[in-house]
Amino acid sequence: MTSPKTSQTMKPATAAKKLGVYLEATPAEFQEGLITRDELHTLQTDPPQWLQDLRNNGPHPRPVVAARLAVSISGLARAGYTEPLTTAEIEELRAENPDWLQREREIQADVQAEAERVKEAKAAKAKARH
């Protein structure tokens, strides 16, 4: 006897993370129920107005804030930014370009350059083995 196929579900926090939005800013019905993979796919491919607004205006979760500022999440924390920011607040920080932001961008650029160097070295080593 086979059971009917059930769709996998996820917690709202997981779905919000996959959508790149701040959970507490989502509608109550999103926060209170489980989200199926099909529902997540629909939200990703045909986002409702509330999701479009959140993505455009925020508040944004720290990973999104960090990416938009080209710094690490740790860099945000070192600068004292632990709460979500709106798009306007992110743009204001970009315009001000404070010392901490410049410093964290340099650190992030160095980390990315080192990661690329390591990746290239591994690729060269793998190629040499073959």
Side-chain angles (χ1 to χ4, degrees):
M1 187 165 162
T2 60
S3 61
K5 183 179 179 188
T6 58
S7 182
Q8 289 183 321
T9 59
M10 63 191 79
K11 294 178 182 177
T14 303
K17 187 175 182 178
K18 289 179 181 284
L19 293 169
V21 295
Y22 182 56
L23 178 62
E24 285 75 10
T26 62
E29 59 270 12
F30 180 87
Q31 294 180 37
E32 294 166 0
L34 293 175
I35 291 89
T36 66
R37 291 210 176 268
D38 290 340
E39 290 170 334
L40 178 68
H41 179 71
T42 300
L43 288 169
Q44 290 171 323
T45 57
D46 187 22
Q49 190 60 49
W50 65 264
L51 182 53
Q52 292 176 40
D53 291 345
L54 269 180
R55 285 179 168 167
N56 290 333
N57 305 318
H60 303 287
R62 287 181 304 155
V64 173
V65 173
R68 289 187 176 195
L69 290 173
V71 299
S72 67
I73 294 171
S74 300
L76 282 177
R78 283 190 290 270
Y81 289 91
T82 57
E83 297 299 316
L85 297 177
T86 64
T87 299
E89 291 168 327
I90 293 168
E91 292 303 321
E92 189 176 305
L93 275 172
R94 279 186 182 156
E96 291 173 4
N97 199 22
D99 290 342
W100 73 264
L101 181 56
Q102 294 172 39
R103 187 172 51 255
E104 291 299 336
R105 283 180 170 166
E106 289 171 10
I107 291 169
Q108 187 69 359
D110 291 345
V111 167
Q112 289 174 340
E114 178 62 11
E116 186 62 29
R117 186 196 65 76
V118 169
K119 181 180 171 184
E120 289 172 1
K122 283 183 180 179
K125 190 174 183 180
K127 188 175 182 179
R129 282 187 286 199
H130 289 85

